[in-house]
Amino acid sequence: MVWNEVDSAQVRREPICVIGAGPAGLITAQVLLRNGFENVHMLCKDSSVGGVWAKGRIYPTMRINKCIAYHRKLLVHELTPHGSVHGESRSSALPMARPIDASSTGGRLRGSDISNYMDEFHNRFFVKEGKSIVRFNTEVTRIQRGPGSKGWSLTIKDTRNPEKTDILRFPRIVLCTGGCSVPKFAKGLDPDDARAAGYTGPVVHSAEAWPRQAELLAAARKSTESNEGPSGAGGGKSAQDCSALLAAQNVPVTVIYNKLELFLASPSPAPKFLRQGRLLSVLSPYVNLRTRMQRFLHSTWLGGKIVRIAFNHITAETYSTYSIPKNSPLRHARSLLWDIRTGDEGGRSDESFAAKVMSGKITAIAPTHVAQFTNTGVLLDDNGQRIDASAVVSATGYVNSWEGILDDETCLDIGLTHQVDPKDLKKYANYWNYPSLQNPPKPEYEVPTGPFVAPGLYQGMVPAKGIGRRDIAVNGATFNASSGYTYEVNAHWIPAYFLGEKMKLPKTPEDATEAVTKHLAWVMRRYPTCAVWNNPSYAAYIPYLSSPIAMDELMEDMYLPSMRSGGNWLTWLLKPISSDELVTLSEERRKKRGETFGGLS
Ligand SMILES: Cc1cc2nc3c(=O)[nH]c(=O)nc-3n(C[C@H](O)[C@H](O)[C@H](O)COP(=O)(O)OP(=O)(O)OC[C@H]3O[C@@H](n4cnc5c(N)ncnc54)[C@H](O)[C@@H]3O)c2cc1C
C-alpha cells in the first residue's frame, strides 16, 4: 500500500508537535487546534514567539520589505526577505490594527507591529489559564524516526541549561523552523577570521546587529575620537534598515555589496489594488498558465513585450523616486524579473537606505566583494582597496535551519531533500519557452553537472518520497510575496493531508518526486541569477510574485474555491487579496470531511 490508511479521529487525538513559533508555526498550530487536534505541542528555541519578528530580534527601524546592503565602517553582506504591505502579514483569525503612524512609515509595517501581533496571536490562541502550549527556550537538536520507523524522536535541550536534554516522541510533526534562524558568515569572514587578522573591533552578524547595537555605536564613537573614522553596520534588509538607523545617529556607514536587493519604491505608496491585487502575480511568468490573461502575457510576442515593459517600468520608477543617477552604486541591483531578492519599500522616505545613500550619509561601494579582514577593517577583492572600519556587520544571510537538527543523510532518507540528476531536468528543456522569458541573464551560480541535492518537498510541504506516510510536513518553506496568506493556506493543506481529506494528490511517491523535479527545472529557468533553492528550509517551493496563483492551486488541491478575491472579468486583476478570504476555510473543509480521501490505497 502506498498511502497510509487514515483514522481521522485517532489522528486528532494523537499528539502532534509544531517545531518553531514564528509566523508559520503559529498559524499552523492555530489551524490544527481549530481543526480539532486535541494534543498540539509547540517547541521554540527562543524565549518568545515571532521567529524573525520576536522581541529582541527586531530593531526600531525594521520594516516589512526587503533589501540588501553593506556599510562603511560597519560592513554587511546580503540576505533575502520579501515585500509585504499592511494586512499581508496576518492571519484571518486575528485582525491587525492599522498602525497609527502608518502614513509616516510609507505604508509599511514596522517590525514591532508584526512582533506585537505575534504576541497577541500567541496570547489569544495558545495561552490557557495562564499557561502557554509553547515550550520556550527549547531547542530541537536532533530529529530521527521513532522506534520501528514509526513517528518521530526529537532530542531537545534547554537553551538556558544546555546540559539539560530530553527525548520526546510524536507520531506527527510539522517543521516550521524557517530559514533565518541560523546566521551564516561568508567563508573567511567570521569573527575568528577577524581575530586571526588582528582585527579588534566588533564583528557581528546582522541577526545580532540590534541587540549589540550599543557595542557597535561605542566602537564607532571611539574610533571617531581617535580619528580612525567611524563605523556603521548593515546587510540585507536588516542591514539597510540598520545602516539607515546608524546614519541617522551621525555614524558614517559604508555598505559593500556585489548586487543590491532591489527596493521597489514610488513617490507615494501604490494603491492597494496594485500592491495587493493579482496584477503582479499574473505579469510574473509562472509555471502554469492558468488564465487567458496569463496565456496572452506569456505565450504571445506582444504579451511578452508588455511584461518586459511593466517590469522595467517598475524598476525605473524606483530609481526616479530617489533620482538615482545611472552611475550610482544603487543601480547595481538584482533584477525584478529574474531574481527573487527584491523588496517593497513603499512610498519615498527620507529615512530610507536609498535616501541616505543619495544624501551621502551612507557610502555604498559596488560591485565588489569583501575578500578578507585586515587589522583595521577589510580588504576588497577587486582592487585591493582597504576599508577601515570600527566594526563590521556581516549580513551574509542564514544557513538552512535544518542543518543543526537533521544531518544530510537523514534529510535524504526522510525526503526533505532528494538527489537530482541533471539529466532528469533535461526533459524540461523545451518547456516554458515563453516570449516573456526570452534572453535570460547567465546563471550566477555554478550549474551542477553531476548529481546534486535539492529540496524534496512536494508543494513545499511534504516529502515527495514519503508522501503516503502522512507523518511529517513543513510550513514556511514556500518562498512567497504574501507571507500571511501563504502560511495560512499551507496551514490548512497540512491537516487536510494528515486527516486524509479528499485532495488532489499525486498517486505515488514517484509521481510526487517528478512534480518536485519539474518545479526545480522551472525555478532554475525562471530565476537564473539565484540559487536560493539551496536553502530548502526556506525556499523548497518558489512561486514568489505568483504566490496568489500557487495558493489557488493549493485551494484546488483541497477541492475548495480558488481566486477568492473575486471580481468580474474586468476587475479580478485589481481586487485586493486579503487573508479575510480564508476565515471560513476550516468550516469549508469540515463540510467536506467524510468524503473518501484522495491518493491511492
Ligand atoms: C531581517 C529580516 C527581514 C525580513 N523581512 C521580511 C519581510 O519584510 N516580509 C516577509 O514576508 N518576510 C521577511 N523575512 C523573512 C522571514 O523569514 C519571514 O517573514 C518569516 O519570519 C518566516 O516565518 P517562519 O515562521 O517560517 O520562520 P522564522 O520567523 O524564522 O521562525 C522560526 C521559528 O523556529 C524556531 N526554531 C528554529 N530552529 C529551531 C530549533 N532547532 N528548535 C526549536 N525551535 C527552532 C525559532 O525559534 C522560531 O520560533 C525577513 C527575514 C529577516 C531575517
Side-chain angles (χ1 to χ4, degrees):
M1 183 187 294
V2 175
W3 287 84
N4 280 346
E5 295 281 4
V6 179
D7 174 345
S8 56
Q10 186 185 339
V11 171
R12 279 205 197 86
R13 269 194 314 272
E14 287 178 345
I16 182 165
C17 182
V18 176
I19 306 170
L26 289 174
I27 184 64
T28 302
Q30 193 265 341
V31 172
L32 288 170
L33 288 168
R34 183 105 196 269
N35 284 202
F37 282 71
E38 294 163 21
N39 205 343
V40 179
H41 298 247
M42 290 184 83
L43 304 176
C44 171
K45 70 175 181 180
D46 300 329
S47 54
S48 59
V49 297
V52 163
W53 311 97
K55 296 253 177 304
R57 273 191 78 178
I58 53 165
Y59 40 90
T61 51
M62 192 174 180
R63 303 269 191 278
I64 302 267
N65 88 334
K66 68 179 185 174
C67 175
I68 180 181
Y70 300 72
H71 300 221
R72 177 168 176 227
K73 322 235 164 153
L74 288 190
L75 301 160
V76 198
H77 327 258
E78 121 185 37
L79 169 133
T80 49
H82 3 225
S84 310
V85 288
H86 172 70
E88 287 184 67
S89 304
R90 67 170 177 92
S91 119
S92 66
L94 184 67
M96 182 186 283
R98 187 172 169 77
I100 29 176
D101 60 350
S103 52
S104 72
T105 61
R108 292 159 61 198
L109 293 169
R110 284 205 170 95
S112 53
D113 298 321
I114 306 289
S115 188
N116 292 339
Y117 178 82
M118 298 292 158
D119 274 351
E120 195 186 342
F121 195 88
H122 166 252
N123 293 338
R124 175 80 64 95
F125 298 110
F126 304 126
V127 182
K128 299 268 161 349
E129 290 157 11
K131 198 168 179 312
S132 171
I133 68 162
V134 185
R135 195 162 158 177
F136 291 106
N137 304 305
T138 304
E139 181 171 351
V140 176
T141 54
R142 194 158 187 213
I143 298 179
Q144 290 170 289
R145 286 205 187 280
S149 195
K150 289 223 166 77
W152 303 95
S153 289
L154 311 183
T155 309
I156 55 164
K157 84 168 181 213
D158 185 334
T159 54
R160 295 158 306 180
N161 181 6
E163 301 298 303
K164 213 170 140 196
T165 61
D166 200 357
I167 292 185
L168 306 177
R169 297 222 155 85
F170 295 96
R172 267 162 228 92
I173 57 173
V174 189
L175 260 178
C176 302
T177 48
C180 303
S181 272
V182 188
K184 177 172 90 184
F185 284 93
K187 202 161 170 254
L189 294 177
D190 70 22
D192 288 342
D193 298 312
R195 298 302 159 247
Y199 181 75
T200 53
V203 177
V204 174
H205 189 272
S206 56
E208 285 202 298
W210 170 242
R212 293 178 61 184
Q213 202 203 25
E215 196 186 330
L216 299 175
L217 285 173
R221 284 196 197 103
K222 202 168 134 206
S223 70
T224 309
E225 281 158 21
S226 60
N227 287 331
E228 281 170 9
S231 304
K237 168 185 184 300
S238 50
Q240 184 194 39
D241 285 349
C242 196
S243 57
L245 179 73
L246 288 160
Q249 297 178 68
N250 293 322
V251 173
V253 182
T254 297
V255 184
I256 301 164
Y257 55 86
N258 184 32
K259 277 199 177 157
L260 192 70
E261 262 188 41
L262 186 65
F263 48 92
L264 301 178
S266 48
S268 55
K272 207 171 167 177
F273 67 85
L274 279 183
R275 297 172 82 194
Q276 286 183 272
R278 289 173 177 272
L279 190 58
L280 205 50
S281 72
V282 167
L283 274 170
S284 178
Y286 185 60
V287 59
N288 301 317
L289 301 182
R290 292 161 44 95
T291 57
R292 207 175 287 172
M293 179 62 86
Q294 278 179 289
R295 286 190 288 278
F296 164 68
L297 288 170
H298 304 293
S299 44
T300 68
W301 175 86
L302 179 61
K305 273 259 171 243
I306 292 171
V307 168
R308 297 302 185 95
I309 289 169
F311 274 78
N312 289 341
H313 172 77
I314 298 170
T315 307
E317 188 177 39
T318 292
Y319 294 140
S320 72
T321 298
Y322 285 100
S323 309
I324 297 171
K326 288 246 160 20
N327 61 355
S328 166
L330 290 174
R331 295 253 181 176
H332 289 285
R334 305 272 170 201
S335 156
L336 176 62
L337 178 61
W338 298 108
D339 209 296
I340 61 174
R341 288 164 285 186
T342 49
D344 179 11
E345 169 85 27
R348 190 193 184 288
S349 159
D350 283 342
E351 298 311 309
S352 72
F353 169 73
K356 300 245 181 266
V357 172
M358 288 307 294
S359 66
K361 297 213 157 122
I362 295 173
T363 306
I365 304 180
T368 186
H369 288 100
V370 175
Q372 61 186 74
F373 280 99
T374 64
N375 60 348
T376 55
V378 296
L379 193 70
L380 304 187
D381 69 355
D382 54 345
N383 56 9
Q385 188 187 346
R386 289 173 76 108
I387 307 287
D388 288 346
S390 59
V392 176
V393 176
S394 183
T396 35
Y398 295 81
V399 298
N400 172 1
S401 64
W402 301 339
E403 267 183 22
I405 323 176
L406 295 138
D407 56 39
D408 293 351
E409 228 168 88
T410 313
C411 278
L412 283 167
D413 177 49
I414 297 171
L416 294 170
T417 54
H418 74 146
Q419 267 225 333
V420 179
D421 188 326
K423 281 191 222 124
D424 299 337
L425 300 170
K426 279 226 171 91
K427 79 160 97 147
Y428 298 104
N430 289 321
Y431 279 52
W432 313 298
N433 284 327
Y434 302 165
S436 56
L437 284 178
Q438 292 304 299
N439 306 320
K442 284 207 181 83
E444 285 185 17
Y445 59 90
E446 219 171 292
V447 181
T449 50
F452 63 103
V453 174
L457 296 176
Y458 176 72
Q459 302 284 45
M461 284 182 281
V462 295
K465 91 177 230 199
I467 195 162
R469 295 176 66 113
R470 302 185 196 266
D471 61 358
I472 182 170
V474 177
N475 194 356
T478 298
F479 198 95
N480 66 83
S482 49
S483 54
Y485 197 97
T486 303
Y487 299 148
E488 185 160 353
V489 175
N490 285 10
H492 280 274
W493 196 99
I494 289 167
Y497 161 80
F498 284 152
L499 289 167
E501 285 174 23
K502 183 176 178 186
M503 288 173 84
K504 282 184 206 157
L505 290 172
K507 293 208 181 329
T508 64
E510 291 73 28
D511 290 352
T513 303
E514 189 57 57
V516 170
T517 307
K518 184 176 175 189
H519 183 70
L520 180 66
W522 160 251
V523 163
M524 287 171 123
R525 169 76 66 89
R526 177 69 184 84
Y527 300 110
T529 57
C530 151
V532 71
W533 45 268
N534 272 336
N535 184 342
S537 70
Y538 185 55
Y541 196 64
I542 312 183
Y544 191 39
L545 293 175
S546 298
S547 40
I549 305 174
M551 293 309 105
D552 285 340
E553 291 175 335
L554 293 189
M555 222 75 85
E556 289 163 16
D557 278 359
M558 295 183 274
Y559 293 100
L560 296 173
S562 54
M563 297 184 78
R564 290 172 165 246
S565 43
N568 58 31
W569 66 273
L570 192 62
T571 59
W572 68 276
L573 271 179
L574 304 177
K575 283 272 179 187
I577 299 167
S578 154
S579 295
D580 292 334
E581 297 163 16
L582 309 177
V583 74
T584 55
L585 277 192
S586 286
E587 277 65 38
E588 291 174 48
R589 288 187 27 243
R590 190 171 300 149
K591 276 196 196 145
K592 288 184 177 293
R593 281 187 206 123
E595 296 176 26
T596 51
F597 66 89
L600 199 73
S601 57

